[in-house]
Amino acid sequence: MKILVCITNVPDTTAKISFTDNDTKLNKNGVQFIIGPYDDYALARGVELKEQSGGCLTVLHVGEADAEPQIRKALAIGADDAIRVNADPQDSYFTAAQIAHIASQNSYDLILMGRESIDYNSGVVHGLVGEMLGIPSYSPVMKLDLDGNNATITREIDGGKEVLKAPLPLVLGCQEPIAEWKIPNMRGIMTARTKPLNVVEPVSVDDMTAPQTYQLPAPKGACKMIPADQAETLIKLLQTEAKVL
C-alpha cells in the first residue's frame, strides 16, 4: 500500500492577518504557521491505515522552504518520507498539477488531503487531482475503511451522509471525524530529523488566476443586549437595524 498525504502550510487560526505589496500578498512577518487542520485529519487517518496494512506513507507539500518545520512535524507523526515541490503556489490549478505530476510518477494507491485549506478555502484541489490522474475523487470524507483494494467511504452530503464503495486508487478530501489528530511523541520528533525530505522543482503550468487584491473582513459592530422581557424591542431592532426580518 502506497499512501500520499498532501498537506498545506497555513496561518494559525488565531493569527492576525495583514497584507503587503498593495494588498496583493500575505504579510508573513510574525505569523505562526501550522499544518492545515483538515490535512491533519487526512494525515492521522493515513498513518492509521499504514499501521494497519503496512506499506509506505509519503507526505507532499507544494510550497517554499519556510514550510519545512510543518513537513518535519508530519514526519514525526508517522510519515515515512516527504516531498516538497519548491514553488510558491498561486492557485488551486497550479497546486493540483504539481500533486498530479508527483503522483503519476509513483503510482500511489491512495491520495489523501484535507477537504480544503483554511487560507483560500477553494475546496477543489482533490477534484482537480482526480481529473488530472483519471481516477475517482470524493469529498468531504468523514469515514474511510479499506478491505484489500476496495474502500468504503462515508461522506457528508446535503441533509445527511452517503456511504460509497469504490476500488483503489482514489483521491479523497478528508474532514472530521475520519480520525483524531495525532501529536508527535519525542521518539517521532527525533526520528523525523533523519527521514528523507526530497525537494523537487515544479513542472511548468500556465497561471489560471491571479489575485487582484485582498481585503480583511469588516470589523464586528457593537453588540446590543436586550432584556429578555423586551421581545418587542428586539423584533423592532431586527427589522429596522439588522434588517433580517
Side-chain angles (χ1 to χ4, degrees):
M1 173 74 67
K2 295 181 66 176
I3 302 172
L4 179 68
V5 177
C6 307
I7 63 172
T8 54
N9 181 48
V10 298
D12 191 292
T13 53
T14 61
K16 293 184 177 180
I17 301 300
S18 62
F19 305 105
T20 61
D21 294 354
N22 199 28
D23 291 337
T24 60
K25 291 184 178 181
L26 172 68
N27 181 8
K28 295 183 178 181
N29 291 332
V31 175
Q32 177 70 37
F33 283 79
I34 60 173
I35 297 173
Y38 293 117
D39 304 324
D40 253 332
Y41 288 116
L43 176 61
R45 188 58 182 141
V47 170
E48 291 173 352
L49 292 172
K50 185 198 77 167
E51 292 173 347
Q52 292 170 9
S53 60
C56 178
L57 190 157
T58 298
V59 166
L60 172 61
H61 174 69
V62 181
E64 298 177 305
D66 57 2
E68 293 195 1
Q70 278 61 255
I71 299 174
R72 288 292 177 191
K73 180 182 177 181
L75 291 170
I77 288 172
D80 297 297
D81 62 340
I83 301 171
R84 180 174 67 83
V85 179
N86 187 33
D88 181 14
Q90 297 300 311
D91 62 13
S92 298
Y93 187 85
F94 178 90
T95 301
Q98 307 309 317
I99 296 172
H101 176 71
I102 297 295
S104 66
Q105 294 180 321
N106 293 278
S107 300
Y108 294 103
D109 300 293
L110 190 60
I111 302 174
L112 304 177
M113 63 186 74
R115 75 174 195 185
E116 62 184 2
S117 64
I118 64 165
D119 46 8
Y120 295 101
N121 300 94
S122 70
V124 299
V125 171
H126 37 74
L128 290 171
V129 171
E131 177 66 21
M132 291 173 180
L133 294 174
I135 60 177
S137 65
Y138 300 97
S139 182
V141 176
M142 306 169 63
K143 185 178 180 181
L144 170 64
D145 294 304
L146 297 181
D147 181 11
N149 290 324
N150 295 289
T152 301
I153 302 159
T154 302
R155 67 171 181 169
E156 187 176 16
I157 60 173
D158 290 341
K161 301 176 183 178
E162 180 181 47
V163 178
L164 302 168
K165 291 188 177 181
L168 303 179
L170 294 170
V171 182
L172 304 179
C174 305
Q175 69 169 40
E176 74 283 359
I178 193 170
E180 292 186 4
W181 287 344
K182 296 184 180 297
I183 299 174
N185 55 34
M186 184 56 65
R187 180 180 179 184
I189 293 171
M190 296 300 291
T191 57
R193 298 177 181 179
T194 58
K195 290 181 178 179
L197 197 173
N198 301 311
V199 180
V200 299
E201 293 305 311
V203 294
S204 179
V205 178
D206 292 334
D207 292 335
M208 304 295 286
T209 61
Q212 296 296 311
T213 184
Y214 295 116
Q215 295 180 345
L216 294 173
K220 293 182 179 179
C223 179
K224 291 185 178 181
M225 303 298 293
I226 308 299
D229 59 353
Q230 297 183 17
E232 292 184 1
T233 300
L234 174 61
I235 293 172
K236 184 177 180 180
L237 290 172
L238 291 173
Q239 290 173 332
T240 59
E241 292 190 13
K243 299 185 186 300
V244 295
L245 293 178

